[in-house]
Amino acid sequence: MNWTKKDFEAYVLLYAAHCNHIEDIAEQKFIRTKVDEATFHRMHTEVVVDSDEENINKIQTFVADNNLTQEERDELLNNIKQVFFADGSVDILEKKGFSILKKIIS
């Protein structure tokens, strides 16, 4: 993996949007405020093609290999929450996804 921090952010946020298999337009709009279009599309393709296990492994690998500050971790977790709330509700799959991502990123 040769990701930048923006690639990683896009991947995590897109994974969050996709974790309940319903990617809402409001979720996509929020993510587009955080990353440019080229990164959005490149990472979107990767998230969708990868299995759930591959998604989690890539996120864990990036976190382990890169020295994210506590501020970066907190901001990412806040942005993940905003993705989940973008469509106005949080379902059980999103809650489970957040719990997993929080353990990996914290």
Side-chain angles (χ1 to χ4, degrees), residues 44-62:
H44 185 270
T45 299
E46 196 166 336
V47 166
V48 172
V49 169
D50 290 346
S51 69
D52 196 52
E53 183 178 345
E54 289 171 318
N55 294 141
I56 296 298
N57 286 339
K58 286 182 176 184
I59 294 167
Q60 287 175 320
T61 299
F62 188 91

Side-chain angles (χ1 to χ4, degrees), residues 77-88:
L77 289 170
N78 185 50
N79 287 339
I80 292 166
K81 287 180 189 176
Q82 289 185 50
V83 167
F84 289 143
F85 284 107
D87 64 359

Side-chain angles (χ1 to χ4, degrees), residues 1-105:
M1 265 181 356
N2 204 14
W3 286 352
T4 65
K5 286 188 178 180
K6 273 297 175 193
D7 291 338
F8 173 68
E9 180 179 19
Y11 191 87
V12 171
L13 296 180
L14 286 160
Y15 171 74
H18 192 73
C19 76
N20 66 346
H21 310 289
I22 303 167
E23 203 172 301
D24 188 87
I25 297 297
E27 293 170 340
Q28 288 182 10
K29 283 182 180 179
F30 174 78
I31 296 167
R32 282 183 164 99
T33 68
K34 299 296 177 186
V35 299
D36 63 85
E37 278 298 308
T39 303
F40 178 92
H41 288 291
R42 187 176 70 256
M43 301 315 285
H44 185 270
T45 299
E46 196 166 336
V47 166
V48 172
V49 169
D50 290 346
S51 69
D52 196 52
E53 183 178 345
E54 289 171 318
N55 294 141
I56 296 298
N57 286 339
K58 286 182 176 184
I59 294 167
Q60 287 175 320
T61 299
F62 188 91
V63 170
D65 292 349
N66 293 272
N67 194 18
L68 299 176
T69 67
Q70 190 59 50
E71 184 179 326
E72 289 171 323
R73 293 169 192 260
D74 292 344
E75 183 179 348
L76 185 57
L77 289 170
N78 185 50
N79 287 339
I80 292 166
K81 287 180 189 176
Q82 289 185 50
V83 167
F84 289 143
F85 284 107
D87 64 359
S89 65
V90 180
D91 65 33
I92 190 73
L93 292 174
E94 290 172 327
K95 287 179 184 177
K96 182 179 177 185
F98 183 74
S99 177
I100 292 167
L101 289 171
K102 186 176 180 183
K103 285 178 187 174
I104 294 169
I105 294 167

